Amino acid sequence: MERLTSPARLMIVSDLDHTMVDHHDPENLSLLRFNSLWEHAYRHDSLLVFSTGRSPTLYKELRKEKPLLTPDVTIMSVGTEITYGNSMVPDHGWVDALNHKWDLGVVKEETGKFSELTLQAETEQRPHKVSFYVDKSKAEEVIKELSQRLEKRGLDVKIIYSGGMDLDILPQGAGKGQALAYLLKKLKSEGKLPVNTLACGDSGNDAELFSIPDVYGVMVSNAQEELLKWHAENAKDNPKVIHAKERCAGGIIQAIGEFKLGPNLSPRDVSDFLECKVENANPGHDVVKFFLFYERWRRGEVENSEAYAASLKASCQPGGVFVHPSGAEKSLVDTIGELRKHHGDKQGKKFRVWVDQVLATETAPGTWMVKLDKWEQSGDERIGCTTTVKFTAKEGEGLVWEHVEQTWSEESKLKDDSSWII
Ligand code: GLC
Ligand code: MG
């Protein structure tokens, strides 16, 4: 969070499963639309927070399966674990606060008496979260009975039902809503309370997010029955919370538009980049657009026209250098020229490109360094490169790519020098 020196323009706090991630869309289209919108228009001055029920283990698994961006803050295990930044530094202060009237042993002992409860995987049992599966028809009764028993044992817990099957037991002070309130308080104390905050969710454990004061909320169109019921009973008259018409990340984009929180046109929804060239003299924008163009080019979704080839060439500095992740140095203009050979080579195949953590710094007047992670999914393989691009502003021509350098990302399993173009 130190990345930002002033209040975030927008802080998005989003659940992952069935909210940011659509498990019914193998192409991940709405997630990819969100990603390019975020990197294009928000990354530089806004905060991205993921708030998931998943433990760190299952969260990391999801990151491998889906094209998720890197968030600034990761809240896991239903608001019981908060970490910051790429290296996921834990917030120990938060954990300490959760020990109040909480005793893992007692929770396990009492829950063991309920035959209706089936324990979830070991990875999902956390220091401040005990999780089970329970049938929808039994949930209400079990929750009532269990609450009474735990109260009698001197504990103060919160029992949450999500997705019509998951039952989580947490300390009363935990949960996604409390974690968000804690984060907002922390940001406020640093003088960095976000200008706007948007909470996004689909199921029971997200309900709390929508009761935090001054926070906008979107329940995605595919929200679960238990969340819609909670909303009807508790937040129906709150104009700051909407039920989107669109599924998952599409609903988040819709909410950004409806609440007027900033730009909501994803570059993925713009078909011709040549048309929106001049107005945007921001190097971060250029990078997002270029790699999207690159995806479309290889998928054969843009015409192999002279106009495109000329426009690409014109945006490269003659004599500019490209350092390939293999270490080989090439001419930038030649590399772009070579792209022509690859037009449509991924047509009809599973091929997607996205960029993550696009950050631009003006190093001297008219000179910019843009750092980003570029990822490429081809079939079932995913490869990524940490990329730096040096741009210079040229009179009347906008920004020119002067130097590009790539190194394989640590998470990149396959470091395939031969198939990587740029
Ligand atoms: C995630 C967690 C699970 C939890 C559920 C609902 O699926 O893995 O443990 O019960 O979210 O919060
Ligand atoms: Mg969910």
Side-chain angles (χ1 to χ4, degrees), residues 296-355:
R296 290 176 180 174
W297 181 265
R298 295 196 64 188
R299 289 173 64 90
E301 290 170 355
V302 283
E303 215 187 310
N304 186 353
S305 71
E306 285 304 330
Y308 280 125
S311 150
L312 282 178
K313 266 214 167 121
S315 59
C316 292
Q317 170 93 357
V321 170
F322 167 50
V323 184
H324 189 271
S326 63
E329 287 196 12
K330 304 173 169 194
S331 136
L332 192 54
V333 177
D334 290 352
T335 307
I336 297 299
E338 267 173 46
L339 263 185
R340 289 208 94 162
K341 289 203 300 253
H342 297 277
H343 183 264
D345 64 353
K346 298 287 182 185
Q347 197 160 28
K349 297 192 181 132
K350 193 174 163 193
F351 180 76
R352 292 290 171 193
V353 174
W354 67 98
V355 290

Side-chain angles (χ1 to χ4, degrees), residues 15 17-19 202-203 206:
D15 168 52
D17 295 289
H18 309 289
T19 302
D202 78 298
S203 85
D206 301 313

